[in-house]
């Protein structure tokens, strides 16, 4: 599976902010839009084109370990599921037509030397019975 790197702080999707009755926006809408655009641009630069059919996605989120942290793993916010949702939406229309095509996701959060995400998408070929 070919993977590409998106540098920068991964932005989770999901936290909403109440504005007024009936109006809610994403709490980090501008950051999220930039993160998803970076994902889409890097996927396109690495030759990804929308495929039809089932796909699997691998994502490795990288964070820098705080000097004060004694944790081996980044088992703190942001939530992995919210990070995944932002990536899947960023790949929609670029690596696949719709994120409903994703049948398998493998994702990790680890500490590294820089902040970003390694992302890979691969089409799964179904055999017709």
């Amino acid at each position: 599976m070919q993977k590409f790197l998106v540098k920068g702080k991964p932005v989770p999707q999901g936290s909403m902010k109440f504005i007024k009755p009936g109006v809610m926006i994403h709490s980090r809408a501008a950051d999220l839009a930039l993160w998803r655009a970076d994902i889409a641009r890097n996927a396109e630069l690495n030759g990804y084109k929308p495929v039809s059919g089932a796909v699997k996605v691998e994502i490795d989120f990288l964070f820098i370990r705080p000097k004060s942290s004694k944790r081996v793993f980044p088992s703190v916010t942001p939530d992995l599921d919210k990070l995944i949702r932002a990536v899947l939406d960023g790949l929609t229309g670029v690596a696949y037509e719709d994120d409903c095509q994703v049948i398998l996701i493998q994702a990790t959060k680890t500490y590294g030397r820089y902040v970003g995400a390694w992302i890979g998408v691969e089409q799964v070929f179904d055999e017709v019975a």
Side-chain angles (χ1 to χ4, degrees):
M1 173 181 296
Q2 173 193 351
K3 288 189 176 182
F4 61 92
L5 175 63
V6 181
K7 290 186 177 179
K9 187 174 181 181
V11 179
Q13 181 169 314
S15 301
M16 301 300 284
K17 182 176 169 184
F18 176 79
I19 301 297
K20 61 183 180 179
V23 179
M24 298 197 54
I25 62 167
H26 189 274
S27 60
R28 296 178 60 193
D31 292 338
L32 178 60
L34 290 172
W35 174 242
R36 292 195 318 207
D38 283 348
I39 292 166
R41 184 178 68 254
N42 279 283
E44 288 173 342
L45 289 173
N46 281 276
Y48 281 88
K49 302 246 186 281
V51 297
S52 57
V55 296
K56 63 181 178 179
V57 178
E58 291 183 12
I59 313 164
D60 300 312
F61 295 101
L62 302 168
F63 298 92
I64 295 174
R65 181 193 317 265
K67 290 182 181 179
S68 61
S69 177
K70 296 184 184 351
R71 298 177 192 274
V72 175
F73 300 103
S75 55
V76 295
T77 57
D79 296 356
L80 184 59
D81 62 323
K82 292 180 180 181
L83 291 168
I84 292 168
R85 288 190 349 226
V87 170
L88 295 182
D89 284 352
L91 293 170
T92 298
V94 179
Y96 42 75
E97 295 165 0
D98 189 273
D99 57 6
C100 70
Q101 294 169 242
V102 178
I103 62 159
L104 176 67
I105 301 169
Q106 180 177 340
T108 60
K109 289 190 323 184
T110 58
Y111 287 126
R113 295 185 318 226
Y114 50 85
V115 179
W118 283 98
I119 302 169
V121 179
E122 186 173 77
Q123 188 167 14
V124 178
F125 293 97
D126 297 322
E127 289 187 25
V128 179

